[in-house]
Amino acid sequence: MTGNEIIERIATAQGKSKAETKLIVDAVFTEIAEAAASGHEVSINGFGKFATKRTAERQGLNPATKEPITIQAATKIGFKPAKALKDKVNG
């Protein structure tokens, strides 16, 4: 499902215009992204939790040349689904 499909389904279900719904959906995702970028956990009841995790710099191998390389430290974002979402997905 694409972002536009989500917007269209919400707009239809709520009797709102697609333009109005797009503003709201975009605002929700912007807030989630900004909170994650600043290191905050975002927990949505019944849906799940978005959290960032810092990975350390480490050594790896270039798969083409087998030469050792340094993989830079990074911040990754993860999602842990809530039990309600897991139950819905698993029937």
Side-chain angles (χ1 to χ4, degrees):
M1 179 178 284
T2 67
N4 285 335
E5 290 171 332
I6 291 170
I7 291 166
E8 187 173 318
R9 290 180 74 167
I10 293 171
T12 300
Q14 298 299 316
K16 303 287 184 184
S17 72
K18 286 183 193 175
E20 183 180 14
T21 304
K22 182 179 181 345
L23 289 174
I24 294 168
V25 171
D26 287 347
V28 169
F29 287 124
T30 297
E31 289 300 319
I32 292 170
E34 287 180 6
S38 63
H40 293 97
E41 187 176 274
V42 178
S43 182
I44 302 169
N45 192 23
F47 185 71
K49 186 183 334 183
F50 296 92
T52 57
K53 181 179 180 181
R54 187 85 177 138
T55 60
E57 185 177 278
R58 64 191 192 279
Q59 291 298 309
L61 289 177
N62 180 329
T65 65
K66 305 297 184 211
E67 293 291 319
I69 59 171
T70 301
I71 301 169
Q72 299 294 324
T75 302
K76 298 182 178 190
I77 187 163
F79 176 74
K80 183 177 179 186
K83 183 180 182 319
L85 179 59
K86 286 183 201 177
D87 291 346
K88 185 167 190 124
V89 169
N90 290 312

